[in-house]
Amino acid sequence: MNTPTTPMADFHLHRDDQGRWVCRVADGPAHVGVQVVRSFPLSAPDEAISIVGPDGHEVVFVARLDALDEPQQAAVVQALSEREFSPVVLRIREVSTFGTPSTWQVDTDRGPTELVLKVEEDIRRLPGQRRLLITSAHGVVFDIPDRNLLDRVSRRYLERFL
């Protein structure tokens, strides 16, 4: 049975005692094991967010994150952060070679790490932005929100691949 999508004002998202996300819609049943998913994670990360039940059907649609009250907004943001793993590159310390594949030593917001760039096309520029997404050989997507804010050495390494 499909549950109709519920307007965002009529739900409550919280964790149960086992750490699972639970969404209670108005006075209806609790949906245990929901996931919070962005529809447009790159172009509109704070808009069009779905809370999806374990069966894969949408339970709640959130048009705008800022339209939620503070506790619900915090719960949605927490659920999103647990699902999405995209370390932010703060500095590029070293690149093994200026051809591909190459091994990069980087500092991220989650600590120092190493990534392998298979092909130059794994560095994506987002249209109209200075943001870059780098997909490593292991499938982890590293984020550079504004390449102009990196230090001079890091920018120089990047320019060799762009």
Side-chain angles (χ1 to χ4, degrees), residues 94-97 99-106 114-117 161:
E94 185 180 338
V95 174
S96 66
T97 180
T100 54
S102 63
T103 303
W104 296 27
Q105 303 296 324
V106 298
E114 176 179 288
L115 70 93
V116 175
L117 185 70
F161 291 92

Side-chain angles (χ1 to χ4, degrees), residues 4-158:
T5 300
T6 302
M8 63 184 169
D10 298 338
F11 79 96
H12 178 69
L13 180 68
H14 65 280
R15 284 192 182 282
D16 66 7
D17 294 338
Q18 296 174 335
R20 299 174 298 185
W21 286 104
V22 177
C23 183
R24 181 172 298 278
V25 179
D27 293 328
H31 299 270
V32 179
V34 297
Q35 292 193 26
V36 181
V37 182
R38 295 181 202 269
S39 298
F40 307 103
L42 301 177
S43 60
D46 295 335
E47 299 175 15
I49 297 169
S50 293
I51 299 176
V52 180
D55 61 357
H57 291 97
E58 184 175 78
V59 176
V60 175
F61 177 77
V62 177
R64 295 191 51 83
L65 186 61
D66 60 5
L68 298 176
D69 62 24
E70 190 63 37
Q72 283 301 94
Q73 196 175 100
V76 169
V77 167
Q78 177 65 35
L80 284 167
S81 70
E82 292 171 7
R83 187 175 195 283
E84 301 169 343
F85 178 72
S86 186
V88 175
V89 174
L90 304 173
R91 182 175 150 227
I92 302 170
R93 287 182 281 124
E94 185 180 338
V95 174
S96 66
T97 180
F98 292 114
T100 54
S102 63
T103 303
W104 296 27
Q105 303 296 324
V106 298
D107 293 334
T108 72
D109 62 338
R110 300 179 187 242
T113 192
E114 176 179 288
L115 70 93
V116 175
L117 185 70
K118 291 187 299 188
V119 294
E120 291 178 11
E121 289 78 24
D122 285 340
I123 301 176
R124 292 185 308 171
R125 296 182 202 200
L126 297 183
Q129 299 181 26
R130 294 181 284 214
R131 186 175 182 189
L132 299 172
L133 298 176
I134 302 172
T135 304
S136 74
H138 298 310
V140 176
V141 178
F142 291 83
D143 187 7
I144 299 177
D146 186 343
R147 65 180 180 242
N148 293 341
L149 296 179
L150 291 173
D151 63 275
R152 187 172 49 97
V153 173
S154 297
R155 287 193 314 267
R156 208 176 268 165
Y157 282 136
L158 270 176

